[in-house]
């Protein structure tokens, strides 16, 4: 669907309106709370508390969906949490050491958020570990320096430079993430991007007004910061709700697919029963003897059965399977996943050669369905897994449900669907 200028402008309007409402609530809090010491303390800690809630909601959404982009956003918000916590947790005037530490944490948060701009987020992804590790090391260095030499604070120019770099970076990356989220239809990055732009604006106002870098004390800056924190909570809560609804829908689809697989099993048995000749007898024997305990599945017999059945329909299938492999996945569920993959090969790579492979690797069982067909366009795997037309989204959901991982890999020629499943525990 083409992106128009009108669509680009319209998409973030909801976030801008929500931010305006949140800032209005923040302004009301700034006016009403500072009438006693308790109210002042609440106002100082409220942005950090709200950011903690947002980070927790995002972490729950990331754990539920397994989406690496959501994990990056959650990590960026969690890193931001350390900024107000460090500043507001120190009584009295904020020291240069803590201002430098806050800017360092903000830079780490900005770096993590910038990683969401990538078109495809790899699994596993080492970049967040590098950024998080570097930011943590710098924070530790600042804390150690504060403990060793409390009377030798860092240069004001260093603190000012770090603050300007952190918050100008937050504004720039926030705008880029907002635009990217709009172009790619990603609601969570768009909303979080708007929130980071508001945070950067709050700190920019503080810098212009002469407040210490990294601190936000003026009423306008406080209202913006509180509004941004409220927007983060709104974005996180909405994303978690959408994630739960999506998982519920996919589980319902997976259950329906399993029920349909049982129906197809009966149809297959009826069709095989009507076939003449010794090959039909062999197929009937394989269907009758492939029962497994409900808590696991023997891999090799199932792959052999599927190979026989799909060879009879004209698909060229080769086997490369280690013997005695058992996975902690229901026999019928694994059969449904592999059947979906083989049917996908028949539909989208007609005439291709298919290889079924299974081996034990790093304490898990890795199964691969590989073909030498036309394959996938570069970077298309995530989009394919979001669509149900290929049957791959359902297969991935079933695998994830049993604690496994499902990956599509574009090979030099063709495509590889890789499943990594837990080994069945005996006893």
């Amino acid at each position: 669907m083409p992106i128009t200028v009108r669509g680009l402008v319209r998409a973030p309007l909801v976030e801008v309106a929500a931010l305006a409402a949140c800032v209005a609530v923040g302004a009301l809090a700034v006016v009403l709370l500072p009438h006693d010491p308790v109210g002042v303390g609440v106002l100082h800690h409220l942005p950090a508390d709200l950011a903690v809630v947002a980070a927790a909601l995002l972490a729950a959404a990331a754990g539920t969906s397994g989406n690496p982009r959501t994990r990056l956003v959650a990590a960026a918000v969690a890193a931001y949490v350390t900024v107000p916590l460090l500043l507001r947790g120190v009584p009295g005037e904020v020291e240069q050491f803590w201002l430098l530490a806050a800017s360092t944490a903000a830079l780490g948060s900005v770096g993590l958020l910038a990683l969401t701009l990538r078109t495809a987020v790899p699994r596993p992804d080492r970049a967040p570990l590098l950024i998080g590790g570097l930011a943590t090391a710098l924070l530790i260095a600042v804390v150690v320096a504060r403990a060793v030499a409390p009377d030798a604070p860092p240069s004001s120019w260093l603190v000012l430079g770090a603050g300007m770099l952190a918050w100008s970076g937050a504004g720039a990356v926030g705008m880029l993430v907002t635009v990217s989220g709009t172009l790619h239809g990603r609601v969570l990055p768009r909303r979080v991007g708007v929130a980071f732009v508001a945070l950067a604006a709050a700190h920019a106002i503080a810098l212009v007004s002469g407040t210490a870098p990294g601190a936000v004390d003026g009423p306008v800056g406080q209202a913006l910061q509180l509004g941004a924190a409220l927007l983060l909570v709104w974005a996180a809560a909405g994303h978690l709700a959408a994630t739960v609804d999506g998982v519920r829908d996919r589980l319902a689809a997976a259950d329906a697919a399993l029920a349909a697989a049982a129906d197809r099993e009966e149809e297959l048995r009826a069709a095989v029963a009507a076939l003449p000749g010794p090959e039909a007898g062999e197929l009937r024997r394989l269907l009758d003897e492939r029962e497994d305990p409900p808590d696991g599945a023997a891999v090799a017999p199932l792959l052999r059965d599927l190979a026989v059945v799909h060879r009879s329909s004209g698909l060229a299938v080769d086997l490369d399977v280690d013997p005695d492999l058992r996975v902690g996945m229901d026999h019928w569920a694994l059969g449904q996943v592999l059947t979906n993959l083989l049917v996908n090969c028949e539909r989208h790579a007609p005439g291709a050669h298919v290889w079924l492979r299974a081996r034990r690797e790093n304490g898990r069982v890795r199964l691969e369905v590989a073909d030498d067909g036309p394959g996938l366009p570069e970077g298309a795997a995530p989009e394919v897994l979001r669509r149900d037309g290929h049957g791959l989204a359902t297969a991935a959901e079933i695998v994830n449900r049993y604690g496994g991982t499902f990956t599509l890999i574009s090979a030099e020629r063709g495509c590889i669907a890789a499943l990594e499943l837990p080994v069945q525990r005996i006893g």
Side-chain angles (χ1 to χ4, degrees):
M1 183 170 142
I3 299 296
T4 63
V5 173
R6 183 178 179 183
L8 182 63
V9 172
R10 179 187 296 176
L13 285 182
V14 174
E15 284 72 36
V16 173
L19 176 63
C22 292
V23 171
V25 173
L28 188 62
V30 170
V31 172
L32 297 179
L33 286 177
H35 290 299
D36 55 68
V38 175
V40 172
V42 170
L43 183 61
H44 278 189
H45 288 91
L46 192 54
D49 296 339
L50 290 171
V52 169
V53 172
L57 292 173
L58 288 171
T64 302
S65 66
N67 188 316
R69 202 179 303 276
T70 303
R71 284 199 296 267
L72 284 173
V73 175
V77 174
Y80 158 71
V81 168
T82 63
V83 179
L85 282 178
L86 283 171
L87 290 177
R88 300 306 180 188
V90 179
E93 184 178 351
V94 181
E95 295 183 11
Q96 297 284 81
F97 283 107
W98 302 129
L99 291 173
L100 184 59
S103 298
T104 302
L107 283 171
S109 178
V110 170
L112 291 169
L113 189 63
L115 293 178
T116 65
L117 293 169
R118 295 175 296 181
T119 303
V121 180
R123 297 179 188 227
D125 189 4
R126 293 185 176 85
L129 297 177
L130 293 175
I131 292 176
L134 180 59
T136 301
L138 291 174
L139 279 172
I140 292 173
V142 173
V143 173
V144 170
R146 167 66 176 78
V148 173
D151 297 327
S155 165
S156 58
W157 288 105
L158 175 61
V159 175
L160 178 62
M164 294 183 66
L165 179 62
W167 298 109
S168 61
V173 171
M175 286 188 287
L176 289 174
V177 170
T178 300
V179 173
S180 176
T182 302
L183 291 174
H184 295 93
R186 300 186 184 116
V187 177
L188 177 64
R190 191 171 69 225
R191 292 176 176 175
V192 172
V194 171
F196 268 75
V197 171
L199 289 171
H203 286 269
I205 291 172
L207 286 172
V208 171
S209 63
T211 305
V216 175
D217 290 325
V220 176
Q222 286 180 326
L224 272 173
Q225 183 171 253
L226 187 53
L230 286 169
L231 184 63
L232 286 174
V233 173
W234 175 64
H239 185 69
L240 179 58
T243 298
V244 171
D245 288 342
V247 170
R248 187 184 296 116
D249 292 342
R250 289 195 296 273
L251 288 177
D255 289 337
L258 290 175
D263 293 339
R264 286 197 295 270
E265 172 73 16
E266 294 302 319
E267 294 173 2
L268 179 61
R269 287 178 181 274
V272 170
L275 293 175
E279 292 82 1
E282 177 65 12
L283 284 176
R284 284 193 293 272
R285 184 188 67 78
L286 290 171
L287 288 171
D288 291 336
E289 294 181 357
R290 66 178 189 165
E291 298 295 337
D292 264 293
D295 57 346
V299 175
L302 178 58
L303 292 186
R304 285 198 298 267
D305 294 356
L306 290 172
V308 169
V309 171
H310 285 274
R311 283 170 185 159
S312 68
S313 66
L315 189 66
V317 183
D318 282 346
L319 286 173
D320 180 12
V321 183
D322 290 346
D324 303 324
L325 292 176
R326 297 189 68 88
V327 294
M329 183 175 183
D330 182 78
H331 174 93
W332 295 110
L334 181 57
Q336 172 63 25
V337 169
L338 295 172
T339 298
N340 279 10
L341 296 177
L342 290 167
V343 170
N344 185 69
C345 292
E346 292 176 350
R347 289 178 180 173
H348 302 286
H353 203 104
V354 177
W355 290 265
L356 290 176
R357 308 185 185 105
R359 62 185 181 274
R360 187 157 181 165
E361 185 175 287
N362 298 325
R364 292 166 74 85
V365 175
R366 180 180 177 88
L367 292 90
E368 294 181 353
V369 179
D371 67 71
D372 60 357
L376 296 171
E378 185 177 355
E383 178 62 28
V384 169
L385 288 177
R386 283 194 291 268
R387 299 199 308 261
D388 290 330
H390 289 72
L392 299 178
T394 299
E397 181 57 48
I398 295 173
V399 170
N400 291 335
R401 192 174 179 182
Y402 283 89
T405 60
F406 183 96
T407 309
L408 279 181
I409 305 168
S410 295
E412 183 176 346
R413 184 179 179 188
C415 180
I416 301 173
L419 290 67
E420 290 191 0
L421 296 166
V423 177
Q424 181 188 2
R425 296 184 181 276
I426 306 299

